[in-house]
Each structure stands twice: as structure tokens, then as C-alpha cells.
Amino acid sequence: HNGIDFKSILRAGYQFLKTGGEEAQGASTITQQLLKNTVFTDWTSEGSNKIKKIKRKIQEQYLAVQLEKVEDKDTILENYLNTINLGQNTLGVEAASERYFNKSVSELTLSEDAAIAAITQNPSKYNPITNPKDNASRRKKVLKKMLDLGYINQSEYDEASEDKL
């Protein structure tokens, strides 16, 4: 994509209009999420103001397209991973690694990597300290997806799945 996912925007827009803004669906790319985390940092104060949300989304989409013109996807992903909220305002994977496992991200095991990846979907629900069972369940799904996509093999999956964090 070029910074925005047009099909997802149409789907989310349709859902927004159909429900009068009561049911929101995600349509943001990682590039848009990076911008939300670094440029539009006051987005949580929008509350139920639909006009503010729509205005921000349009600005976010415009800037995402512009950012993709000057930065490669690896740089965008790296910056996103250094700004994402991974629970209790823990910003970035290095901070999460230190907070949850008391070590640098470069020292994490596959199981610990998956535990941090699991948090991204819902930082409160999948916090490994406050909700270890939910995180463990989500961590297994992350590992299974990695196995299915060929990023890890069966023995790596088995070993990481059995790890009791």
C-alpha cells in the first residue's frame, strides 16, 4: 500500500455511517498508527466528537501517503515498534522487554517475543503481568500464526508454547 488501505477505509467508513458512528472498525495501516502515536498524540481526548475524529483521520491519511514517499517500510515499522503502547503506557518494544522480562529485546526468547506481540491487539487485556492467562492464550495464537506462515518450525513452536512465562 502507499500509506493507506483504501478497501479498509471504505469498509470502516461504511460501518461508521451505517451505525451512526457507534461501531468503529479499524482501517489504519502501521504508517497511520505511527502518525497517530507521534503527531496526533491528543487523539484520545476526541471523545465522542465525530467531526474531530473524521478530520484527524483525513489528516492522518494524507500524512501517511506523504511519509511513505520519503521513508521505506522498514524504517516506518522500526519507528512504529519504538512508539507503540504495550500496556501501562510502556512505549516501544525495548521498554516492554525491560518492563515485562527485565532484559533487552535482543535477549528475548521466542516465547517472550510472542508475549509482547500478543499485547498489541489490546494492551490492557493482554498485559502479561495483570492478565497472564489472557496473554498466554493470545501468545499461543501468535505462535500458531508464525508457524502457519513458516516463520518458525514445529519444534520451535512446541518449545515456545510449553514455556511458562
Side-chain angles (χ1 to χ4, degrees):
H1 61 75
N2 66 346
I4 59 175
D5 180 346
F6 193 67
K7 286 170 69 174
S8 292
I9 291 169
L10 289 177
R11 177 191 36 80
Y14 173 75
Q15 185 68 19
F16 184 84
L17 293 172
K18 184 173 108 177
T19 65
E22 298 302 316
E23 286 184 35
Q25 289 189 355
S28 296
T29 63
I30 285 178
T31 308
Q32 287 176 263
Q33 290 178 37
L34 170 62
L35 289 163
K36 187 166 70 170
N37 292 345
T38 58
V39 177
F40 300 101
T41 55
D42 63 344
W43 66 271
T44 56
S45 66
E46 292 171 351
S48 61
N49 188 324
K50 294 172 188 156
I51 300 299
K52 276 187 174 182
K53 285 180 185 179
I54 291 169
K55 182 180 175 187
R56 175 187 45 84
K57 280 304 227 181
I58 291 168
Q59 291 172 326
E60 203 176 272
Q61 291 164 3
Y62 172 78
L63 288 175
V65 171
Q66 299 310 308
L67 183 58
E68 292 261 350
K69 290 178 182 177
V70 297
E71 292 292 346
D72 62 53
K73 291 197 183 290
D74 286 344
T75 301
I76 291 168
L77 179 60
E78 180 180 348
N79 285 314
Y80 169 75
L81 291 172
N82 285 318
T83 62
I84 187 173
N85 182 355
L86 292 165
Q88 300 172 323
N89 207 31
T90 303
L91 303 179
V93 292
E94 182 65 34
S97 178
E98 294 288 344
R99 174 182 217 109
Y100 300 124
F101 301 109
N102 202 29
K103 56 180 152 178
S104 174
V105 73
S106 64
E107 300 169 6
L108 293 178
T109 65
L110 176 59
S111 181
E112 292 164 340
D113 289 336
I116 290 177
I119 299 168
T120 61
Q121 189 177 56
N122 184 328
S124 298
K125 182 177 181 179
Y126 296 118
N127 181 312
I129 294 172
T130 57
N131 296 307
K133 287 181 181 176
D134 288 335
N135 181 272
S137 173
R138 178 81 180 129
R139 177 175 54 95
K140 283 206 175 191
K141 289 179 183 176
V142 168
L143 290 167
K144 179 73 169 104
K145 188 69 166 180
M146 291 175 74
L147 175 65
D148 292 346
L149 294 173
Y151 290 110
I152 59 174
N153 62 39
Q154 186 65 49
S155 65
E156 290 169 317
Y157 170 81
D158 293 342
E159 183 181 333
S161 293
E162 295 302 317
D163 190 6
K164 304 290 183 223
L165 298 181

